[in-house]
Amino acid sequence: MKNRLWKKWMALLLAAAMTAGAAGCGSKSGGVSENKKNEADAKTEGAEAEESGKKDVTITVAASQSWIADIDRVLAKEFTEKTGIKVDFQLNPDDQYTSIVKAKLASGEGPDIFYCNGGNGMDEYMPEMYFSDLSDQPWVGRLKDWAKDAATYDGKIVGLDMWSVDGWGMLYNPDIFAKYNLTVPKTFEEFKQVCAVLQENGVRPIYMDGVDAWRQCLWLLEMTTLIEANHPGTLDKLNTPEGKFAEIPEALQATEQIKELVDLGYFGENFMSDPWDSAFDVMANGEAAMVLTYTSFTLELQEKYPDLGAETWEMFPVPLCDNLYFSHNNGGEVKVINKDSKYAEECKEFFNFMTEKENAQRYYDGKKNLVVSALVDVTVETPRSWTSMIENATAGTGMDFASLTPFYNADNVGKAFQDLYMGGRTPMEVLQKIDEDRALMFETTADNE
């Protein structure tokens, strides 16, 4: 499957680049439930539903807090008006989502629908135990191949992928680069030179929100394709308990270089207290020149600051280890129906509603952070940030660790890097901690089979 996906995506990404040349906090106690009604409202709605023939049912949808946008709520409300089936979004903190959902599933109190990473990222949630088979659903035939692959487990479609292929790289403010005669760096030394010039002129080189654990895994994540190119078979090995990050030279080199950026002050003096939500404002006001982000970040930035010109901003690959590859996901977040849900049929109705062509188009138009549509009959305008990333990734493209290997857990990896920043771990100890966490997950999964 990996080779098949690689070929498909190489063709798609090259086509995107050619087209561009011719013409991307909830409660810590367990989540926030948004649509809870008081007892009187519930009784009234129940009576109305009974009279109209609509269902008096509430399905719960667990998601990380940053994954649900206004358009999700609008469409959910319309679905309720049409069917009587209410949708209760249960939002969790980004850095706690995975552990909260897994705990609820294990306790038998899991949500009816929950989000998870596609591809091998699904393994962490034990698909054989908790995922419903959706292979016979009417929208499956309209999914693009990559969206099918992202939601396939053991030969079955087990989720709905309406997200988008995207990946992480260095977004930069072209006005600041032009002001100081800076060009896109192609090596780590050139990258440091760019950062030094910016720092000397009072501009923070890179906005990095150190407070958010999940964000810290992204530097190493973007080394995936480089590592596999330099050491073919590494990804296959990492799919087994024998695969170790501590044995990959580029993983160690990249981790050492990240620490070097921190020690040189290129993330800012107080970056460990900076939150992700501030990235938009900091980039818009010119306080920082670069940010490690997803290619669709500019769509959201443009919406928040319409006069900024963010639609012209460009990106380049993370240049640790002189990397010129772009490693992307294979479809982002997949919506899964809990096999234990007593409202599985109602959940399927919700998926059918969301994938209706008109509703799906509205979803992509309103989402503002998706660069490719998962459905063949729905279009998305591809931003310059995406096409420029493809152009600057002169070595090629490929999928990332989160898509191709099990148990690359963003929170666990990120916390190990936070320890690195604070001097609590050496670069090698960071990789060893990642390996220890993965070994435990392999063991836990094996015990449950």
Side-chain angles (χ1 to χ4, degrees):
M1 179 177 289
K2 291 176 189 172
N3 289 335
R4 179 160 57 90
L5 279 169
W6 179 279
K7 291 176 181 177
K8 287 177 185 173
W9 268 102
M10 281 298 294
L12 187 151
L13 294 172
L14 289 172
M18 291 170 64
T19 300
C25 200
S27 166
K28 292 187 178 180
S29 63
V32 175
S33 181
E34 293 192 338
N35 300 324
K36 287 188 176 178
K37 305 290 186 180
N38 61 37
E39 189 174 347
D41 285 344
K43 288 179 180 178
T44 300
E45 288 176 0
E48 290 175 350
E50 188 174 345
E51 263 185 47
S52 66
K54 295 179 179 179
K55 298 184 179 181
D56 181 22
V57 167
T58 298
I59 57 176
T60 55
V61 181
S64 187
Q65 63 185 26
S66 61
W67 296 343
I68 301 301
D70 289 343
I71 187 61
D72 292 282
R73 298 180 179 91
V74 168
L75 289 170
K77 181 180 179 182
E78 292 179 7
F79 173 69
T80 300
E81 292 169 352
K82 179 179 179 181
T83 65
I85 302 169
K86 294 176 281 296
V87 180
D88 181 7
F89 290 113
Q90 299 182 339
L91 306 186
N92 300 281
D94 291 333
D95 61 350
Q96 299 176 49
Y97 172 75
T98 299
S99 57
I100 289 173
V101 171
K102 287 166 62 177
K104 286 185 175 181
L105 289 171
S107 72
E109 299 180 354
D112 299 302
I113 295 171
F114 60 95
Y115 285 66
C116 66
N117 289 330
N120 283 345
M122 296 189 293
D123 291 354
E124 192 164 2
Y125 297 83
M126 301 181 183
E128 67 283 352
M129 291 183 63
Y130 299 116
F131 290 27
S132 297
D133 184 359
L134 304 177
S135 303
D136 63 350
Q137 293 303 291
W139 39 264
V140 169
R142 294 167 51 223
L143 290 176
K144 293 179 181 176
D145 287 343
W146 62 263
K148 291 179 183 178
D149 287 328
T152 295
Y153 180 83
D154 196 25
K156 301 172 184 177
I157 301 291
V158 295
L160 170 59
D161 186 352
M162 284 185 68
W163 210 257
S164 171
V165 171
D166 203 347
W168 304 85
M170 305 307 302
L171 176 71
Y172 67 95
N173 184 326
D175 293 334
I176 295 177
F177 266 46
K179 181 177 180 179
Y180 299 112
N181 298 313
L182 300 174
T183 58
V184 171
K186 292 180 170 54
T187 67
F188 181 64
E189 286 304 316
E190 290 179 3
F191 186 52
K192 287 196 298 180
Q193 290 170 13
V194 167
C195 291
V197 170
L198 292 167
Q199 189 180 62
E200 289 167 3
N201 285 277
V203 179
R204 189 197 305 203
I206 305 163
Y207 182 80
M208 193 65 206
D209 46 307
V211 72
D212 297 301
W214 67 273
R215 290 265 300 149
Q216 315 315 315
C217 81
L218 303 174
W219 297 93
L220 181 58
L221 184 72
E222 280 301 316
M223 297 299 103
T224 305
T225 311
L226 171 72
I227 287 171
E228 178 65 16
N230 289 352
H231 309 285
T234 298
L235 291 172
D236 288 336
K237 191 172 182 180
L238 288 172
N239 273 277
T240 71
E242 287 69 40
K244 307 294 182 186
F245 279 90
E247 296 175 357
I248 303 172
E250 290 83 358
L252 179 59
Q253 182 183 14
T255 304
E256 291 170 342
Q257 291 178 344
I258 294 167
K259 184 62 163 64
E260 185 176 356
L261 295 175
V262 170
D263 292 344
L264 289 170
Y266 292 158
F267 290 177
E269 291 183 6
N270 301 309
F271 81 98
M272 285 302 294
S273 61
D274 287 332
W276 165 245
D277 290 344
S278 296
F280 296 96
D281 296 336
V282 170
M283 291 302 295
N285 65 28
E287 178 186 331
M290 295 180 285
V291 61
L292 173 59
T293 189
Y294 43 90
T295 65
S296 53
F297 180 90
T298 54
L299 298 175
E300 298 171 77
L301 188 59
Q302 184 178 348
E303 185 177 22
K304 293 176 182 289
Y305 296 93
D307 299 326
L308 184 63
E311 68 274 11
T312 67
W313 287 25
E314 299 188 347
M315 297 183 71
F316 58 88
V318 172
L320 303 177
C321 305
D322 299 343
N323 172 59
L324 291 173
Y325 289 95
F326 172 44
S327 297
H328 53 77
N329 63 38
N330 68 339
E333 308 306 326
V334 174
K335 291 190 282 287
V336 171
I337 297 176
N338 185 353
K339 190 185 291 186
D340 294 335
S341 171
K342 61 182 178 179
Y343 298 128
E345 293 305 313
E346 287 79 4
C347 292
K348 291 177 183 177
E349 284 188 57
F350 183 49
F351 283 8
N352 289 337
F353 177 83
M354 289 295 295
T355 53
E356 290 176 11
K357 183 176 179 180
E358 181 181 348
N359 293 337
Q361 187 66 65
R362 290 169 57 206
Y363 172 82
Y364 283 105
D365 290 344
K367 200 68 172 179
K368 301 298 184 185
N369 65 344
L370 304 178
V371 297
V372 180
S373 167
L375 296 161
V376 297
D377 52 2
V378 176
T379 59
V380 174
E381 183 177 352
T382 304
R384 178 58 186 155
S385 50
W386 170 273
T387 56
S388 62
M389 171 63 88
I390 300 304
E391 292 166 6
N392 287 321
T394 55
T397 65
M399 288 189 290
D400 59 31
F401 289 129
S403 301
L404 295 175
T405 63
F407 315 131
Y408 188 85
N409 182 287
D411 297 340
N412 292 346
V413 175
K415 287 172 183 174
F417 275 98
Q418 286 177 323
D419 289 343
L420 173 76
Y421 302 159
M422 302 300 291
R425 294 183 190 273
T426 67
M428 178 55 75
E429 288 170 343
V430 168
L431 301 181
Q432 291 170 342
K433 180 63 168 64
I434 295 171
D435 290 335
E436 289 171 10
D437 290 336
R438 276 171 36 89
L440 180 60
M441 288 304 304
F442 273 115
E443 182 179 344
T444 302
T445 302
D447 289 342
N448 284 278
E449 290 179 350

